[in-house]
């Protein structure tokens, strides 16, 4: 079911796929879909998550700031991958569908963001960042430009760009205010 859902998501997006078509492509009944998932959107999101979670697994080695830097670079590599158009389509779909937005936030975005907040808190505890570091601002500064480049398409989302971005943003956040 998840493979069929991902193929459909990759080709057309969530809005243009019916539950009946998804069931037919997966070789199951719609009753089977709804036995395991509450909605077609939930199936499609699970298919997306099954595909991207391994690629976006958090780095395990290095200091908290090194792991945060690696996370940004890995995110850029993923946004540059063949799966990136699916993510862009999904991000577009969540803007028009409040149920899908809630699922996307709960199951993908907020857990991923929480991992990065945890890394920022670890960096603060380790003395790598000042105690008054705004974790949300730091994470937005690190990830916002990647998604902006990918969605707008004015410049590539390269690993080199991501590494330079992470280096400069983290350096700026390490500086004492006023210097």
């Amino acid at each position: 079911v998840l493979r069929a859902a991902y193929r459909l998501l990759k080709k057309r997006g969530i809005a243009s796929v019916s539950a009946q078509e998804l069931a037919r492509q997966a070789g199951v009944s719609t009753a089977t879909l709804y036995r395991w998932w509450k909605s077609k959107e939930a199936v499609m999101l699970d298919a997306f998550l099954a595909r991207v979670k391994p690629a976006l697994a958090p780095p395990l080695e290095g200091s908290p700031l090194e792991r945060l830097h690696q996370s940004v670079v890995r995110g850029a590599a993923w946004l540059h991958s063949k799966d990136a158009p699916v993510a862009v389509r999904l991000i577009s779909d969540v803007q028009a569908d409040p149920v899908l937005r809630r699922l996307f936030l709960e199951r993908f975005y907020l857990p991923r963001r929480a991992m990065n907040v945890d890394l920022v808190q670890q960096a603060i505890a380790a003395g790598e960042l000042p105690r008054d570091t705004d974790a949300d601002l730091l994470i937005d500064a690190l990830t916002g430009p990647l998604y902006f480049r990918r969605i707008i398409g004015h410049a590539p989302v390269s690993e080199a760009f991501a590494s330079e971005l992470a280096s400069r943003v983290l350096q700026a956040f390490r500086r004492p205010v006023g210097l």
Side-chain angles (χ1 to χ4, degrees):
V1 171
L2 294 178
R3 281 193 297 272
Y6 191 79
R7 281 194 307 271
L8 290 168
L9 182 61
K10 194 171 181 176
K11 285 181 186 174
R12 300 201 331 253
I14 292 175
S16 65
V17 175
S18 69
Q20 293 77 14
E21 181 183 11
L22 173 56
R24 188 173 51 253
Q25 290 288 319
V28 300
S29 69
T30 53
T32 298
L33 287 181
Y34 291 118
R35 186 175 306 126
W36 295 100
W37 290 275
K38 290 184 179 183
S39 67
K40 167 198 73 170
E41 291 79 9
V43 178
M44 302 291 270
L45 187 57
D46 274 356
F48 172 76
L49 294 174
R51 180 73 177 215
V52 303
K53 276 191 174 180
L56 295 176
L60 300 175
E61 301 206 4
S63 74
L65 279 189
E66 288 168 347
R67 288 183 285 150
L68 191 56
H69 186 280
Q70 291 171 33
S71 180
V72 172
V73 173
R74 289 173 73 170
W78 176 72
L79 284 170
H80 191 68
S81 75
K82 64 182 179 185
D83 291 317
V86 177
V88 171
R89 185 176 293 125
L90 184 60
I91 290 168
S92 177
D93 287 347
V94 303
Q95 302 309 309
D97 184 336
V99 172
L100 182 59
R101 180 180 310 121
R102 181 183 53 77
L103 287 171
F104 180 80
L105 288 172
E106 288 173 0
R107 299 181 66 204
F108 177 71
Y109 181 75
L110 293 176
R112 181 145 177 77
R113 188 173 184 91
M115 289 185 321
N116 286 331
V117 167
D118 185 54
L119 285 174
V120 172
Q121 291 170 343
Q122 289 178 39
I124 292 168
E128 294 180 307
L129 289 172
R131 288 181 174 257
D132 65 346
T133 299
D134 183 330
D136 288 321
L137 180 61
L138 175 54
I139 292 164
D140 287 347
L142 288 168
T143 59
L146 302 178
Y147 284 94
F148 185 80
R149 278 186 173 215
R150 181 63 183 129
I151 291 169
I152 300 301
H154 70 286
V157 182
S158 67
E159 291 179 51
F161 168 75
S163 184
E164 182 69 15
L165 172 71
S167 293
R168 289 178 182 253
V169 168
L170 293 172
Q171 179 182 10
F173 272 78
R174 282 194 298 253
R175 287 194 183 125
V177 177
L179 293 180

